[in-house]
Amino acid sequence: MRFRPLVIALALIAHSVAFAADPLDGVRQYRLAHEKEILTELVSLLEIPNVARDRENIERNAAHLTAMLERRGIESRLLRVGDAPPVVFGKLDVPGATRTVVFYAHYDGQPAGEGWSSDPWTPVLRSGALDLGGKDLPWSALEGAIDPEWRVYARSASDDKGPIIAMLAALDALRAAGLRPSVNLRFFFEGEEEAGSDHLGAILEKYRDDLEADLWLFWDGPVHQSRRGQVVFGVRGVVGVELTTYGPARALHSGHYGNWAPNPASLLATLLSSMRDAEGRVLIDGFYDQVLPLGETERKALAAIPDADDDLRRSLALGGTEAGNARLVDRLMLPALNIRGIESGGVGGEARNAIPTVARASIDFRLVPDVTPAIVRDLVEKHIRAEGYHIVHDEPDAEARRRYAKIVRLDWEDGYPALRTPMDLPASRDVIAVIQEARGETIVAIPNLGGSLPLYLFGDILGAPLIVTPIVNHDNNQHAADENLRIRNLWDGIDMAALLMLRL
Amino acid sequence: MRFRPLVIALALIAHSVAFAADPLDGVRQYRLAHEKEILTELVSLLEIPNVARDRENIERNAAHLTAMLERRGIESRLLRVGDAPPVVFGKLDVPGATRTVVFYAHYDGQPAGEGWSSDPWTPVLRSGALDLGGKDLPWSALEGAIDPEWRVYARSASDDKGPIIAMLAALDALRAAGLRPSVNLRFFFEGEEEAGSDHLGAILEKYRDDLEADLWLFWDGPVHQSRRGQVVFGVRGVVGVELTTYGPARALHSGHYGNWAPNPASLLATLLSSMRDAEGRVLIDGFYDQVLPLGETERKALAAIPDADDDLRRSLALGGTEAGNARLVDRLMLPALNIRGIESGGVGGEARNAIPTVARASIDFRLVPDVTPAIVRDLVEKHIRAEGYHIVHDEPDAEARRRYAKIVRLDWEDGYPALRTPMDLPASRDVIAVIQEARGETIVAIPNLGGSLPLYLFGDILGAPLIVTPIVNHDNNQHAADENLRIRNLWDGIDMAALLMLRL
């Protein structure tokens, strides 16, 4: 693979880069003339509910995306294994191009969850972030001048349908400007990323030949909290587990039996606090032993990242963060234990004077090289056994519950390991340079993102390097209520996609 | 107050007690002839929903009870303060009687909660306990022979409407047998016991003159787990608190921010486990310092209680109980911390890869003399401050959340202290003896019940001694789904009420 060192040299002085005719001028002229059209295409895509288990709507999304590709003359097909949500795949060869770059995004989204200000699949245009006083705007506002600080609220606006719109609008813009991509293009839109990408490995195996490429670009995740562009060379892995502890077989009056019958919520609180302290330190023996130390390039990149922590804490109403206010970027280089949820008995108006029968907690572990799901599972189970528990993986019957004073059910997700592409590969340096040029600013380069994607599969199965190239705003509420996309981030994404297609 | 020592002497050999004409014969003849009628009166009462905040139905209950009293020629009135659920009060003076005994019960019930096998306010007759294979029976089964192992399923069947039926049926039986109570009778049916008896003190103050009496008998709570009768000389007090811990102002992606943003569920688990270990020991400094040691009579009574713990553990599918399988009766002499519920984020299908914004736990403390709610509140807040928290009692605004790295909201219930009537009072000895006679067995005498009733008010305001005389089955699921009353316990209650009315 040959990436042009020229680009690097030019990009080092990004602001002064000037081609005879700056291709970004053409791209931006096209975009300015078609903003309403681009946003309308986004809204149409967001209107289709996209939770991976909702197969009927997933197929509607796939058909809609296929039509979007074909409208642009991109050869498209659905990559399927069994009845899993299909991958929407697009192929556009460029005469004379010798290398192939795949643009990845996913079209499924997180379940809606509670607390939305408007229906998750009825996009709403707002004048800014809701929590900073953003007001609803009519869609007819797109007829006039469009303020790039406006936001589109909907599930998957940012995670991860917005990036799909950016890629395709970029292609339209290049064509309108008479510019030809320098590489063969592939589009790979996954349909069950938020559900854990259970079939991604099988799809990569099955379609290995169609997926041959020199580089994968992953369009997912947010830009830096400072709103500067960023490029990410890896992701954390993840593995989840649900823990269930047991009290009496039936709920008991907390007066008549309290202080005698085991309280499953108390057992669970004690167990969880033995696994992780309130400062984020995982207390499981050996948990940090396999962590691969960072290289010199990665350490320098981290040190160069602007510090947004104070602003973030203020915006999140936090009086402090874990590990004594240690830097966010440094924390994301470590494996972590997050409690996603905990539930037992009732609180508030639902509280009853009773000892609950069970308590459940849902946990995710974020992983870094070389801490694998298998290692975590092994260490966690060892830890829990050392706490005196008998571990089961199915619902224990009454006899099992009688046999063991402390019994816990663990339901493990398969999970997947982390992946980091070395930052000193030629492709790594090229991508940094092109994105700096597109954005006209020094961007943030991060050894790995905090979030998780099954990138290890691409390395394992296809052997191609991959780099994450996010575009969406950091305050997009992804995975929560009121997910949104700041329009300026979409415009920046179009510039970025166009220049990547043109320069790699 | 003079209670007859003769009864005690006789009762010591309970099985051989034989009066010229045993009044229990008459009571039982009446009951046998009227079982269907008695159960029908119970069902009519259970059909009226009775959650204290449902004022319309509470008034329907009060009117129904008033009619039940008046049908029996008992002078009745509603004792009211403000718009609180009224006390249904009945008065029946007996010519020649010099002492007055009040029979207490409450007619309100716990909210339904989840998990019922049938509607909580549509009584269902079953052939036995549901979890032991009990089957639905048609109500027409009451036309034939009634098996005392049958059960009536409904909210408040045991807690606490069944006892009301027992008292009134006992009075009917005495009259049918031509027997006259030895004491003036009062009936005091409270309407907001399960909601915390917030107005009980005001009612006792307001109607102090009407409520003058020599002894209060509290018909509430279950008999011993061995199914033997028991008499209880006190109750634990109670005070509840809801704890809320705070994470980021909005839910954050657990990958991008996990290991940095404080996790409120982790904070709460750590805080709870600092307050109570999994063996039930409260770790709050000074928590046990004010516990009044038991007297000699009480210690002997405890030692004489038959041990039902193994059976209970088996029935509850428990492999062990707290404090290394210490005896239930001994555990109930101590103050306790029970987690009623805990909630944060989502579990199971609701789990999302997000850091929750808040975590909440609902706790009740069970109290014994002389650990008061004020003492507990003080110790708990000291403990939580020592854990580094800033305590607030209302929802903290963003500024407060920014100011303190650890902030917790505490919502305290008022609660009330415990009460124990000394077991060596003459009235105490008399009640034990009469109940032993009624049941024909050595009964269990307990210094205090594990559960809580606001009995301290009667001591504080009225100055009368009081004793708890439970009748319902221990496995009645009170405060939970599928509450029920075993019919034999109702029959035993009628015997007991009749003999108490006749002999005190």
Side-chain angles (χ1 to χ4, degrees), chain A residues 287-308:
Chain A
F287 188 75
Y288 298 100
D289 288 358
Q290 305 301 319
V291 174
L292 186 74
L294 294 173
E296 180 64 17
T297 311
E298 281 75 10
R299 282 207 304 279
K300 279 189 182 155
L302 280 175
I305 296 173
D307 198 343

Side-chain angles (χ1 to χ4, degrees), chain B residues 239 241 275 284-287 290 365 367 371-386 391 393 410 412:
Chain B
V239 62
V241 63
M275 295 168 69
I284 296 165
D285 204 33
F287 188 75
Q290 305 301 320
F365 290 94
L367 311 176
V371 182
T372 65
I375 289 171
V376 167
R377 182 173 167 146
D378 185 52
L379 294 176
V380 167
E381 298 209 343
K382 268 196 190 116
H383 174 89
I384 292 177
R385 278 196 197 96
I391 296 173
H393 296 107
L410 300 182
W412 286 95

Side-chain angles (χ1 to χ4, degrees), chain B residues 471-504:
Chain B
I471 65 166
V472 306
N473 41 304
H474 72 283
D475 53 355
N476 71 65
N477 291 352
Q478 72 184 96
H479 291 210
D482 292 337
E483 180 177 345
N484 65 85
L485 173 64
R486 178 171 163 263
I487 289 176
R488 184 183 297 282
N489 287 72
L490 182 61
W491 300 163
D492 291 346
I494 295 171
D495 290 355
M496 228 172 82
L499 222 56
L500 285 166
M501 290 172 180
L502 207 58
R503 293 241 191 278
L504 286 182

